Amino acid sequence: MEIRAPLSLVRPLTEKSRFLGAIARKPIDRPPVWLMRQAGRYLPQYMEVKKQYTFLEMCRLPEIAAEISIQPYAILGVDAIIVFNDILIPLEQLGLTVDFNEQGPVVTPAPRHERDIRALRRRPFDESPPVCDSIAIIHRQVGEHTPVLGFAGAPFTLACYLVEGVTSKNLRYIKELVYARPDLLERILETLTETVIEYLRLQIQAGADAVQIFDTWAGELGRTEYRRFAMPWQKRVIEAIQSEGTPVILYVKGSSPFLEEMKHTGASVLSVDWRIPLSEVTAQVGADTVLQGNLDPTALYAPPDVVSRRTRDLLDDCGRRTGHIFNLGHGVLPQTPVESVQALVDTVKAYEYGSL
Ligand code: CP3
């Protein structure tokens, strides 16, 4: 009879082997934990750096981006480092200007009309855009045993920013394309998909151990539209990257109605929002689908003891012994108390799956 000891009993896990172990559904000691938007305004150390640079400078100066990326790892002890950058930066490859002001991002000009959309052309990336140098510097500083994550926006979410030009409440212009000119929208998605694949490949060459694609706005679509304008393009990115051996985490905000579709993409990990408990997500997608999530980011406004209890409840409810990466259901919000984020991280790290 074969006796399979948990990996942790054989040798201590590194952060990377635990992270990749969770994705491969190998026995591990506890779930790995990291948080979307873990580097950001809730951290006083980030605000210190931000006094000296604009947001775009912080993304474009690899030494600075690396320093900010490492902050949550050094301060809070998360198990993975996501490179500091923004999903909108690669829109510059389409000849657009991306800027960030007090209200958020601004993309100019926002091509909405047929002639402007047909004129969109993708320019190849520099062999090493700044994000690649940031990834290489992070790995040099923290070593090979800590996972570094690259990322990109998913084609539909990038198309939203491209067409709307700003963060839009009702997605007026993109929805107009969805219903009135689906052919033009598909043209945009085609160009963005190629851009995203190339951008992720460069990040992987630079050392990213896994990548996440963010489809923040896909949850605003009806099912028929999701199946045409979100899912196939996610799938193309995922297949291109995973066929070369790197796991892709697919995040959708408003994921609940689309779990089947998310599963259909074949993503190594489905990152779901907080609206459905993970036990129910598992009931829908099966225990063999790896999940990431899904504490409500606003739960972190509660005091640390409440956050700890919520975190433990979530882990108990999840009922898995591997195949789960702890995260929020969306990014850390501004003004989140650092003590509450710390309580979350400490609670996950103290959790033990127990003997298998
Ligand atoms: O997760 C991380 O720590 C890595 C860094 C990261 C940022 N943006 C830095 C950032 C990541 C993964 C993103 C992804 C991103 N950017 C998404 C997808 C995830 C999501 O949150 O839905 C989207 C939609 C964007 C576009 C974007 N960038 C918006 C709408 C805004 C303004 C709103 C806001 O939160 O400020 C940004 C700016 C931005 N990107 C900030 C950070 C830290 C805030 C800049 C600041 O310090 O003022």
Side-chain angles (χ1 to χ4, degrees):
M1 190 178 78
E2 187 197 7
I3 299 171
R4 290 176 63 203
L7 277 183
S8 54
L9 296 185
V10 180
R11 60 190 135 82
L13 291 177
T14 64
E15 287 145 350
K16 186 160 153 182
S17 56
R18 183 181 293 108
F19 194 85
L20 296 178
I23 295 178
R25 295 177 56 244
K26 290 189 180 151
I28 46 175
D29 51 352
R30 62 163 176 87
V33 54
W34 72 280
L35 306 172
M36 292 182 261
R37 295 283 184 106
Q38 63 190 14
R41 286 165 292 184
Y42 72 103
L43 281 178
Q45 294 85 346
Y46 171 85
M47 296 310 285
E48 269 310 303
V49 181
K50 214 188 148 179
K51 282 185 191 156
Q52 301 164 56
Y53 304 97
T54 66
F55 177 67
L56 279 174
E57 284 170 343
M58 296 193 294
C59 292
R60 286 192 188 125
L61 295 168
E63 296 285 347
I64 303 301
E67 178 188 337
I68 297 170
S69 311
I70 293 170
Q71 282 178 350
Y73 174 75
I75 299 162
L76 302 163
V78 292
D79 293 312
I81 298 175
I82 184 164
V83 64
F84 189 81
N85 197 31
D86 197 84
I87 61 164
L88 303 180
I89 303 276
L91 292 181
E92 292 172 341
Q93 294 312 118
L94 277 69
L96 305 171
T97 303
V98 178
D99 211 345
F100 291 83
N101 63 26
E102 291 302 302
Q103 277 79 49
V106 184
V107 179
T108 37
R112 292 172 189 157
H113 303 293
E114 177 149 8
R115 205 185 36 186
D116 302 333
I117 292 172
R118 289 194 185 282
L120 279 176
R121 292 280 176 281
R122 186 171 71 92
R123 288 172 301 180
F125 284 93
D126 221 324
E127 296 259 303
S128 182
V131 63
C132 294
D133 298 332
S134 311
I135 291 170
I137 295 170
I138 297 167
H139 257 318
R140 223 177 293 140
Q141 293 190 5
V142 301
E144 285 308 306
H145 297 303
T146 302
V148 176
L149 312 179
F151 70 89
F156 180 75
T157 288
L158 288 179
C160 289
Y161 283 100
L162 180 141
V163 172
E164 302 289 335
V166 293
T167 304
S168 158
K169 257 216 162 93
N170 49 14
L171 301 176
R172 181 211 180 297
Y173 295 106
I174 189 102
K175 290 281 183 113
E176 193 176 326
L177 290 181
V178 163
Y179 293 109
R181 291 304 305 268
D183 57 316
L184 288 182
L185 179 51
E186 282 178 334
R187 218 187 146 95
I188 296 174
L189 292 167
E190 183 83 45
T191 308
L192 289 171
T193 299
E194 287 167 18
T195 307
V196 167
I197 292 172
E198 193 193 348
Y199 198 51
L200 291 175
R201 278 190 180 133
L202 288 171
Q203 294 181 54
I204 292 162
Q205 278 164 24
D209 299 291
V211 293
Q212 175 152 326
I213 55 173
F214 287 90
D215 222 342
T216 306
W217 298 112
E220 298 297 317
L221 291 168
R223 176 162 291 155
T224 308
E225 291 73 33
Y226 186 99
R227 287 184 178 166
R228 180 164 176 189
F229 301 109
M231 182 181 73
W233 310 94
Q234 297 164 351
K235 193 162 184 268
R236 261 177 54 181
V237 174
I238 290 162
E239 282 173 354
I241 299 301
Q242 290 188 170
S243 67
E244 294 162 12
T246 304
V248 179
I249 305 168
L250 169 63
Y251 171 75
V252 174
K253 180 167 171 234
S255 47
S256 308
F258 303 113
L259 297 172
E260 281 304 318
E261 284 77 6
M262 287 175 75
K263 183 175 173 168
H264 179 76
T265 62
S268 296
V269 182
L270 306 187
S271 189
V272 296
D273 77 9
W274 62 93
R275 290 174 174 86
I276 304 188
L278 290 183
S279 54
E280 274 184 49
V281 177
T282 298
Q284 281 195 47
V285 297
D288 54 347
T289 298
V290 180
L291 299 178
Q292 178 175 274
N294 71 343
L295 190 73
D296 182 347
T298 58
L300 289 174
Y301 289 127
D305 60 318
V306 177
V307 171
S308 292
R309 201 169 57 241
R310 285 290 187 152
T311 301
R312 259 192 314 273
D313 288 350
L314 194 156
L315 286 163
D316 288 342
D317 167 76
C318 179
R320 290 170 177 238
R321 293 189 179 277
T322 184
H324 175 220
I325 299 169
F326 199 102
N327 205 313
L328 301 175
H330 196 204
V332 183
L333 294 161
Q335 287 136 36
T336 296
V338 179
E339 309 79 65
S340 292
V341 185
Q342 187 70 68
L344 181 161
V345 174
D346 292 347
T347 305
V348 180
K349 290 175 79 171
Y351 197 84
E352 286 173 17
Y353 282 140
S355 56
L356 292 161

